[in-house]
Amino acid sequence: MGRLRTIARRTFLIGSVAVVGGVAFGTYLVRRDIPNPLEDDLASGEATFNPWVKIDQDKITLITPHADKGQGVASTQAALIAEEMDLEFGQFEISFGTPSPAYWNTAMGAETAPFMATDESFTAETTRAMMGNLMKVIGLQGTGGSSSMPDSFDKLRMAGAVARETLKHAASQETGVAIAELNTEGGAVILPDGTRIPYTALAATAAGIEPVQDVTLRDPSTWRLLGKPMQRLDIIAKSTGTLNYGIDLSVDGMVHAAVRLDPCRNGQIVNYDATAAKAMRGVTDVVEITGGLAVLADNTWRAMQAANAIDVTWGAPPYPAEMDGHWQALEASFSPELLDSTWRDEGDVESAIAAEDVIEAEYRSPYVAHAPLEPLNAIVRVTDDGVEVWSGHQMPRQLQTVVAGITGHAEGQVTFHNQFMGGSFGHRLELDYIKQATEIANQMRGTPIKLTYSREEDFAQDFPRHIAMGRARGTVADGQVNTLDLSLAAPSVIASQMGRLGFPVAGPDSQLAAGAWNNPYGIPNYRMTAYRAPELAPTSSWRAVGAPAAGFFFDSFLDELIHQAGADPMEERIRLMDHDVSRKVLEAVADMSSWGGELGPNQGRGVAFVESFGVPVAEVVEVTATDAGIRLDKVWVACDVGRVLDPVNFENLVQGGVIFGLGHAINSEITYAGGMAEQSNYHAHEAMRMYQAPEIFVKGLENGAHIRGIGEPPVPAAAPALANAIFAATGERLREMPFHKFMDFV
Amino acid sequence: MTRFLKVLAVGMMASLATLAIADEEAAVIDPPAAGSVSITEGLAAFDRVYEVTSHPRCANCHVGASDRPMWSGPSYDRTRPHGMNVQAGESRIGAETMLCSTCHAYREGLNDVPHAAPQVAMNWQLAPIEADWFGRTSDEICTQLRDPQRNGGRTMVELAEHLNHDLILHWAWNPGGGREPAPYSLQQHVDDLLIWGVAGFPCASD
């Protein structure tokens, strides 16, 4: 009952997006078929059965529209189609395809519904379905929120099955053999006598057949590709340095550009002198763009050097110039008028707190940069007839919209060639670099412009992970955790990000406290309150969005309470866990790590559990306190994604997420001085070094009812597990990231 | 490139480097007359010598048996071991499979890119273990520097000449890339060393 009442008070962030967009959200719009974009330029003899499969006489092309930022999703999408089509790797090409509402993300909306992932009630499931429909209505094509596999799993297998059955139909038409007697294998239809007709040979006939929609998906027990280790399609090119990323591309006649943008992000140039820059070798022009200046030159390096040589005086930032002001704003945000939502309120926190000795703690999580290895870049060519864009981006249709808005073309005249990306971590959800490249190219119609950010500009212009502050109170009784009351204050990432896309948002932000409100613990008195601080520095979704900060606060404080109760950190978490799938994750990690076993001198272990994007993740970190600092020895991770589609890629993604979470927890922070980010490059915002990296053991469980993505969920539990391990080894409790401010790591 | 050409090229670059010192950067070694410097003046000179020796430009490579050069000073947000897990090895020129000069290679002119590996000397290396200065007090460095067992058996003049010969040391006053140079100047440092020497190498704890 409590749940229903809570929901009735809430509006949905994404809901207001649709209203602002003027979308009438009716049955017709949900049910209508969206045109297949592959039909637009289909040549004679080419066949397409749906937006994901195209076949001609020479080759089979599978469209893998989710952006690949290194997570390997292009391969897994292709495998989903290939499994049902009976294709082997090597028998097809892949393409990211063209932006289209046909590639709407069915799964991205579910996370915005304000229900715990563990809530499978009718109301919760209905709301999620509604959010999915909304995604279709607005045609939201996007990669993010670890939604690629949830979005693709059924849809792409269905696409492959439709193609397979239609090709069998074509073979039957050509040979006269009944469909029931036909099989498929290795990219061919097999006749009863063993004759193989390659799909490519059937393309012309298939092109004239209405795709067969009544298909059955393969039973997982018969899978040839899925569920087994696959060699990623990009791995040879990546390993040999031959894969072209956006930053590697060139277009004939292209001019190089670099930007010098307002580091205070207010777009205000008080004055500037570009005389020296214009006189530098190779420089052809300096032009004004929104938010700053752009230099055009005959190569990237010269453009960057000249950009640095411009003498600019910038205006004041629209946020506190110094860090103290940011933290003070958070401190002042724990007030009733800034209440965003009380996400959990179970038991009777106030009475419990009044009756028992109260344990209190305050936590902090800093701004951190996305800092992908491949700095932002884009090539744009604007002509009177249309615009072409080459870049890596996670929101292709929003890209089309903003480019068309700048140049005055129709959205359909904007052709986007999406590229493999050298990382993103959320940075390539932003459109600024696309806008800037387009503004420059629009001033030089006919000339392709390649904009490349320097690393320093990438850091200066990043929209980092939000800062957050947590204030926790709790009680223990009879050796057990009794009350956990966590309040969190942070600016809304979603509001900042959606605001730049032109979508005002309303209602509570479920990401604000994700990782703290959605952990399925049955703590007797459990309250989670989120306060929405005013917008400070502009922020953006960073890998796992809200959960790295809120999960650190929540699990660290739970660990403090368990310590106070004198209970075992693992056993007490298992005892409190209210959700079978999640409990099994904790039990698995306890088993893998031989929790409770002997430890060496000065060794300590910490466990943390954080649910993120529907994935329960438990991590155990083992450290040794050495004379030179903390050494990370081993990490064990168990998580549940419902179904592991590629065990090797899965393991790699989890390991990468753990390293990412640990490295940032130890080393990384963006601070502002004079309104500008003080950290300009990796030296001051380090990744984890290879020699510091622990051995990481991974187990993917398959008990969950829904298939989930694993790109982000391994990140949030890493920091609290490490802090808890350090406490176990040293007795020192770390309540603020980055940890290197308090101790050395070796 | 053949091995012969490589050797030739390296040799030529080394000669250029030596020329650069000889022509532009060498300090004049001109010690004050014997007996002309008081102990007080000698101690004051050593205070300045300590400012130089303890400065990150110098101290970062004067590490001991840890074998790990350090990153400290205003170019870094905190003090920590060199990030690439380099080990100086017995030779002190880098673990023998990956020399310091792999990254700190010689190139003509300074590498002015902040945070890129400084590239100025052919033989980028750590100071000997005996010259372990990192994090040490003025008095510790003082007694260390005058101890023949630990200073390579050098006299006052030989200490000064040593400063003149080593390209890395010259780089400390002209590090480029926005790095903070060592205080004073090479000449001033050589002069201070000589003043201190003429005063009889006094240390505060004497």
Side-chain angles (χ1 to χ4, degrees):
Chain A
M1 263 319 287
R3 166 88 36 222
L4 275 173
R5 237 188 3 257
T6 319
I7 289 155
R9 281 193 279 109
R10 290 179 191 149
T11 50
F12 306 146
L13 288 176
I14 205 80
S16 55
V17 171
V19 172
V20 168
V23 174
F25 186 5
T27 310
Y28 162 71
L29 285 166
V30 173
R31 290 206 178 147
R32 71 173 171 167
D33 287 331
I34 297 170
N36 176 358
L38 300 180
E39 286 179 352
D40 291 348
D41 55 353
L42 211 60
S44 169
E46 284 184 335
T48 175
F49 315 105
N50 49 55
W52 296 274
V53 183
K54 188 162 103 171
I55 297 180
D56 64 22
Q57 282 79 358
D58 301 319
K59 66 174 189 284
I60 299 165
T61 307
L62 306 183
I63 311 299
T64 55
H66 277 292
D68 199 315
K69 309 163 267 176
Q71 81 278 40
V73 72
S75 281
T76 318
Q77 288 173 96
L80 288 163
I81 308 170
E83 181 70 71
E84 291 292 336
M85 275 185 79
D86 287 322
L87 287 171
E88 301 300 331
F89 275 36
Q91 291 186 316
F92 55 84
E93 292 182 1
I94 60 167
S95 161
F96 290 118
T98 188
S100 167
Y103 303 119
W104 56 282
N105 187 325
T106 52
M108 218 173 184
E111 186 68 21
T112 62
F115 298 93
M116 285 171 61
T118 49
D119 184 350
E120 288 168 7
S121 65
F122 177 76
T123 314
E125 295 290 20
T126 307
T127 309
R128 288 188 193 111
M130 196 175 83
M131 302 313 289
N133 289 339
L134 177 63
M135 295 292 114
K136 180 178 181 182
V137 170
I138 61 177
L140 191 87
Q141 180 186 356
T143 305
S146 294
S147 64
S148 295
M149 280 309 111
D151 173 46
S152 302
F153 184 57
D154 291 330
K155 199 157 67 179
L156 296 197
R157 285 184 303 143
M158 193 61 81
V162 165
R164 178 191 72 217
E165 292 306 318
T166 311
L167 286 160
K168 279 163 72 178
H169 197 87
S172 172
Q173 204 173 82
E174 283 193 6
T175 62
V177 178
I179 291 172
E181 292 178 42
L182 297 173
N183 279 313
T184 52
E185 183 191 88
V189 177
I190 316 293
L191 302 186
D193 65 0
T195 307
R196 302 170 65 87
I197 311 175
Y199 292 160
T200 44
L202 294 165
T205 306
I209 296 173
E210 191 66 21
V212 178
Q213 299 295 347
D214 182 19
V215 297
T216 310
L217 295 179
R218 298 259 193 255
D219 187 88
S221 64
T222 66
W223 283 349
R224 302 163 299 111
L225 305 170
L226 300 174
K228 301 180 179 68
M230 291 178 257
Q231 179 171 297
R232 268 168 62 163
L233 294 165
D234 54 356
I235 207 66
I236 291 176
K238 279 187 174 172
S239 306
T240 54
T242 53
L243 186 85
N244 274 334
Y245 295 85
I247 206 165
D248 300 313
L249 298 183
S250 70
V251 172
D252 285 346
M254 152 181 114
V255 169
H256 293 268
V259 283
R260 181 81 185 280
L261 301 166
D262 178 11
C264 298
R265 273 82 65 80
N266 212 10
Q268 293 176 334
I269 298 176
V270 176
N271 56 55
Y272 74 95
D273 180 358
T275 316
K278 282 180 178 168
M280 288 169 77
R281 185 177 166 200
V283 174
T284 52
D285 206 355
V286 175
V287 298
E288 293 187 20
I289 55 172
T290 305
L293 300 152
V295 175
L296 297 156
D298 59 353
N299 74 35
T300 301
W301 179 248
R302 287 175 186 158
M304 287 176 183
Q305 296 297 98
N308 289 339
I310 305 173
D311 187 13
V312 199
T313 307
W314 304 104
Y319 46 84
E322 309 299 324
M323 271 330 282
D324 282 354
H326 294 244
W327 289 115
Q328 282 160 12
L330 291 195
E331 282 172 6
S333 298
F334 291 94
S335 70
E337 58 273 21
L338 292 176
L339 175 69
D340 191 61
S341 182
T342 301
W343 289 99
R344 294 280 282 265
D345 194 1
E346 287 147 26
D348 185 349
V349 169
E350 288 305 328
S351 302
I353 296 262
E356 304 279 346
D357 288 341
V358 179
I359 301 144
E360 292 184 281
E362 185 173 285
Y363 299 88
R364 288 177 175 215
S365 170
Y367 291 114
V368 292
H370 295 95
L373 195 59
E374 179 198 5
L376 302 177
N377 59 81
I379 300 175
V380 181
R381 176 168 53 204
V382 182
T383 64
D384 292 343
D385 299 330
V387 186
E388 269 193 289
V389 180
W390 294 260
S391 187
H393 205 273
Q394 295 171 237
M395 306 284 276
R397 296 197 65 221
Q398 270 61 37
L399 181 147
Q400 272 184 320
T401 305
V402 304
V403 168
I406 291 167
T407 61
H409 290 83
E411 286 181 19
Q413 289 175 290
V414 178
T415 308
F416 175 49
H417 308 274
N418 213 352
Q419 305 296 318
F420 276 98
M421 303 168 204
S424 165
F425 317 114
H427 206 162
R428 286 168 183 275
L429 288 163
E430 296 292 336
L431 282 151
D432 291 57
Y433 61 110
I434 304 291
K435 289 181 189 168
Q436 291 145 11
T438 306
E439 281 191 28
I440 303 164
N442 200 35
Q443 294 184 44
M444 303 176 63
R445 287 199 171 201
T447 304
I449 300 297
K450 180 176 185 176
L451 168 63
T452 313
Y453 271 50
S454 64
R455 175 80 57 211
E456 285 72 16
E457 203 65 34
D458 199 289
F459 263 86
Q461 297 301 322
D462 190 25
F463 304 102
R465 181 180 80 192
H466 59 294
I467 49 169
M469 182 182 278
R471 287 180 176 167
R473 302 186 301 168
T475 67
V476 298
D478 304 324
Q480 296 182 340
V481 175
N482 190 43
T483 309
L484 194 159
D485 179 20
L486 175 63
S487 297
L488 175 145
S492 167
V493 175
I494 303 298
S496 186
Q497 194 174 343
M498 297 307 267
R500 283 189 294 280
L501 283 173
F503 297 138
V505 292
D509 177 357
S510 64
Q511 278 300 324
L512 206 60
W517 71 274
N518 50 331
N519 294 321
Y521 284 115
I523 299 166
N525 306 293
Y526 180 2
R527 186 161 63 189
M528 171 63 226
T529 315
Y531 295 92
R532 183 164 155 185
E535 281 190 46
L536 298 166
T539 55
S540 184
S541 292
W542 186 88
R543 196 170 179 179
V545 196
F552 170 60
F553 301 167
F554 175 89
D555 190 278
S556 296
F557 189 62
L558 178 61
D559 207 67
E560 295 204 40
L561 294 178
I562 292 172
H563 176 73
Q564 196 69 28
D568 177 81
M570 183 72 78
E571 286 171 14
E572 182 67 352
R573 280 178 177 80
I574 291 173
R575 190 189 68 78
L576 288 167
M577 188 52 77
D578 224 6
H579 177 238
D580 284 344
V581 172
S582 300
R583 188 181 305 107
K584 283 175 185 158
V585 160
L586 276 166
E587 286 166 352
V589 89
D591 182 53
M592 290 163 73
S593 63
S594 306
W595 182 268
E598 283 284 298
L599 290 176
N602 303 317
Q603 264 196 330
R605 278 179 169 192
V607 56
F609 172 96
V610 182
E611 189 258 271
S612 164
F613 293 105
V615 182
V617 183
E619 299 180 19
V620 169
V621 174
E622 184 177 280
V623 301
T624 304
T626 74
D627 290 343
I630 300 290
R631 186 182 68 223
L632 278 64
D633 298 320
K634 288 178 178 167
V635 177
W636 294 268
V637 190
C639 46
D640 197 314
V641 288
R643 194 174 279 283
V644 176
L645 295 177
D646 180 345
V648 171
N649 199 44
F650 181 85
E651 184 181 30
N652 292 344
L653 266 173
V654 174
Q655 289 174 330
V658 170
I659 293 289
F660 195 82
L662 291 174
H664 283 86
I666 293 171
N667 292 324
S668 306
E669 177 177 34
I670 290 293
T671 52
Y672 293 91
M676 308 175 195
E678 292 185 281
Q679 293 73 17
S680 62
N681 209 321
Y682 290 129
H683 72 288
H685 190 279
E686 281 183 77
M688 176 171 271
R689 300 273 174 185
M690 206 179 281
Y691 69 90
Q692 294 173 317
E695 208 176 348
I696 302 171
F697 305 91
V698 178
K699 188 164 192 173
L701 303 182
E702 300 186 321
N703 300 313
H706 299 283
I707 189 152
R708 302 288 187 185
I710 199 63
E712 294 166 276
V715 176
L722 174 59
N724 296 341
I726 290 169
F727 176 76
T730 67
E732 189 168 347
R733 180 65 71 179
L734 297 175
R735 298 191 181 94
E736 180 180 345
M737 299 187 281
F739 299 153
H740 76 57
K741 287 162 99 170
F742 310 100
M743 52 186 61
D744 290 331
F745 290 81
V746 292
Chain B
M1 207 189 315
T2 65
R3 185 175 164 73
F4 169 74
L5 279 174
K6 266 188 199 166
V7 171
L8 187 69
V10 167
M12 283 170 64
M13 287 192 286
S15 312
L16 280 171
T18 313
L19 276 175
I21 304 175
D23 291 344
E24 295 161 24
E25 297 178 39
V28 178
I29 296 177
D30 183 17
S36 70
V37 182
S38 69
I39 300 269
T40 314
E41 286 168 324
L43 284 171
F46 187 78
D47 283 346
R48 292 190 294 275
V49 170
Y50 175 68
E51 281 184 64
V52 174
T53 54
S54 62
H55 187 275
R57 283 290 80 70
C58 303
N60 282 350
C61 291
H62 276 266
V63 295
S66 76
D67 245 11
R68 309 273 308 269
M70 298 295 288
W71 282 350
S72 74
S75 300
Y76 299 96
D77 60 344
R78 66 192 169 92
T79 298
R80 60 197 186 283
H82 189 292
M84 286 69 176
N85 198 31
V86 293
Q87 312 283 331
E90 273 189 48
S91 62
R92 305 292 276 179
I93 62 168
E96 283 66 16
T97 46
M98 194 174 78
L99 308 183
C100 301
S101 59
T102 307
C103 298
H104 295 273
Y106 175 77
R107 78 199 278 274
E108 202 171 341
L110 281 170
N111 185 343
D112 264 338
V113 181
H115 322 305
Q119 296 172 328
V120 69
M122 290 305 300
N123 53 345
W124 200 275
Q125 64 183 76
L126 289 194
I129 290 181
E130 305 81 61
D132 175 10
W133 290 343
F134 193 88
R136 294 195 183 271
T137 63
S138 172
D139 206 52
E140 282 171 330
I141 296 180
C142 186
T143 50
Q144 209 171 345
L145 204 53
R146 70 184 178 182
D147 177 1
Q149 300 293 315
R150 291 187 283 174
N151 76 5
R154 290 186 171 94
T155 65
M156 164 182 83
V157 169
E158 283 167 345
L159 280 177
E161 282 175 345
H162 155 71
L163 280 166
N164 236 356
H165 279 136
D166 199 320
L167 264 174
I168 299 182
L169 307 188
H170 290 246
W171 169 83
W173 281 276
N174 185 23
R179 297 176 192 86
E180 186 179 277
Y184 309 110
S185 64
L186 174 64
Q187 184 65 55
Q188 171 84 53
H189 184 55
V190 165
D191 290 347
D192 283 331
L193 205 64
L194 295 169
I195 293 168
W196 177 54
V198 169
F201 294 121
C203 292
S205 60
D206 292 341

